[in-house]
């Protein structure tokens, strides 16, 4: 009969297991993150094709309307094989990393500027038409605060008129337009009345007008009036722009 482990030997084994687990966990976490971004990129690539097909059938005009960044889904979803009412089961419109979000409500001053952190994803909200993704059409929006900067976007633009299709965003993770990141879940710089859940160089998955998809670094400006990332095109050194000019 073999001798049993001594207490010291058991402690050594436990310590070795803990060290191995500690070494493996970051690698497993990184692998999970890459897998989620791959799914998200494939979703956006298909959605981008669907938007372009919609535009082809609309004299090359991109989605428009009162809230095209959300309403675009209803306009083009049949091009990606979806029929009937939208739901949280529309997997092509669900980023697997979209497990939390920030939602804005109207504050005491009458403007929508009070942010709340929710432990569920945007694709679970009917108000976002059950989608993790937004069309780059925020230029169709009239800011609640007239002192805020103009919103950028490509709503109602002909895709063929966009000067830099490889750099101009077509559709992307909604978090990118604020910006924060589902792939870098960390505490934002700001969160409170009149403040946004932004942080510098948040990285999000975007699909561009030319059809390519990239995990992109988003510029953040804390200048007064620049409430969202989509209020301004980034400076040199960033690989995207919101406006189609």
């Amino acid at each position: 009969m073999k001798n049993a482990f001594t207490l010291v030997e058991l402690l050594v084994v436990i310590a070795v297991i803990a060290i191995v687990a500690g070494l493996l966990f970051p690698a497993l976490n990184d692998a999970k993150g890459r897998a989620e971004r791959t799914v998200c990129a494939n979703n956006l690539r298909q959605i981008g094709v669907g938007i372009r097909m919609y535009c082809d059938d609309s004299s090359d005009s991109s989605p428009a309307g009162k809230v095209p960044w959300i309403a675009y889904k209803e306009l083009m979803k049949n091009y990606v094989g979806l029929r009937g009412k939208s739901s949280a089961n529309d997997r092509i419109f669900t980023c697997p990393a979209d497990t939390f979000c920030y939602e804005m409500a109207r504050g005491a001053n009458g403007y929508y500027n009070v942010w709340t952190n929710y432990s569920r994803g945007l694709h679970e909200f009917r108000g976002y038409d059950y989608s993790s993704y937004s069309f780059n059409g925020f230029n169709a929006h009239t800011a609640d605060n007239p002192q805020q900067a103009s919103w950028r976007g490509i709503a109602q633009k002909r895709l063929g008129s966009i000067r830099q299709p490889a750099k101009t965003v077509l559709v992307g993770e909604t978090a990118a337009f604020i910006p924060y990141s589902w792939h870098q879940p960390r505490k934002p710089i700001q969160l409170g009345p009149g403040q946004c859940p932004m942080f510098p160089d948040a990285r999000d998955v975007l699909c561009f007008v030319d059809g390519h998809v990239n995990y992109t670094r988003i510029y953040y400006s804390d200048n007064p009036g620049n409430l969202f990332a989509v209020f301004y095109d980034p400076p040199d050194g960033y690989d995207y722009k919101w406006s189609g000019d």
Side-chain angles (χ1 to χ4, degrees):
M1 181 176 177
K2 294 183 179 179
N3 294 328
F5 284 112
T6 65
L7 177 59
V8 172
E9 290 171 333
L10 284 173
L11 291 175
V12 170
V13 170
I14 293 171
V16 170
I17 292 173
I19 292 171
V20 172
L23 293 173
L24 288 177
F25 182 78
L28 293 173
N29 200 42
D30 288 346
K32 178 185 176 184
R34 287 194 298 271
E36 290 176 339
R37 291 193 293 274
T38 297
V39 171
C40 194
N42 289 335
N43 288 347
L44 282 169
R45 191 172 288 109
Q46 294 178 67
I47 292 169
V49 170
I51 292 175
R52 292 199 66 96
M53 293 173 68
Y54 164 83
C55 293
D56 288 343
D57 289 342
S58 304
S59 302
D60 196 37
S61 293
S62 60
K66 187 175 181 181
V67 285
W69 57 94
I70 296 173
Y72 83 97
K73 179 183 174 183
E74 185 62 30
L75 296 173
M76 51 70 61
K77 66 184 182 182
N78 62 302
Y79 292 97
V80 292
L82 291 180
R83 301 289 188 276
K85 293 183 178 180
S86 295
S87 76
N89 295 321
D90 297 340
R91 306 313 300 172
I92 192 174
F93 287 91
T94 300
C95 171
D98 176 17
T99 58
F100 68 96
C101 66
Y102 299 99
E103 175 66 0
M104 189 166 57
R106 193 183 293 274
N109 59 2
Y111 300 130
Y112 283 90
N113 60 1
V114 178
W115 291 85
T116 302
N117 187 354
Y118 288 94
S119 58
R120 56 182 178 140
L122 285 179
H123 68 276
E124 300 179 69
F125 285 83
R126 184 176 65 178
Y128 286 88
D129 202 12
Y130 302 105
S131 178
S132 301
Y133 311 115
S134 288
F135 168 66
N136 180 23
F138 285 83
N139 58 309
H141 177 71
T142 300
D144 296 302
N145 185 343
Q147 294 180 346
Q148 293 170 356
S150 299
W151 301 61
R152 304 290 191 267
I154 60 172
Q156 296 181 304
K157 286 185 177 291
R158 295 182 182 276
L159 295 189
S161 71
I162 293 174
R163 295 182 179 179
Q164 295 180 291
K167 196 171 183 179
T168 304
V169 178
L170 179 66
V171 61
E173 294 177 321
T174 300
F177 296 86
I178 295 176
Y180 64 96
S181 174
W182 294 318
H183 307 283
Q184 298 171 307
R186 68 190 195 193
K187 186 177 180 180
I189 280 182
Q190 305 180 65
L191 186 59
Q195 300 173 325
C196 288
M198 297 179 174
F199 62 82
D201 293 338
R203 299 196 66 176
D204 299 278
V205 184
L206 301 175
C207 176
F208 295 81
V209 172
D210 73 339
H212 86 278
V213 176
N214 193 38
Y215 185 44
T216 306
R217 190 169 55 103
I218 307 297
Y219 177 67
Y220 162 70
S221 170
D222 59 358
N223 291 330
N226 289 339
L227 187 60
F228 297 104
V230 75
F231 272 24
Y232 43 83
D233 283 325
D236 293 340
Y238 288 80
D239 298 326
Y240 75 95
K241 58 182 296 191
W242 306 116
S243 60
D245 300 332

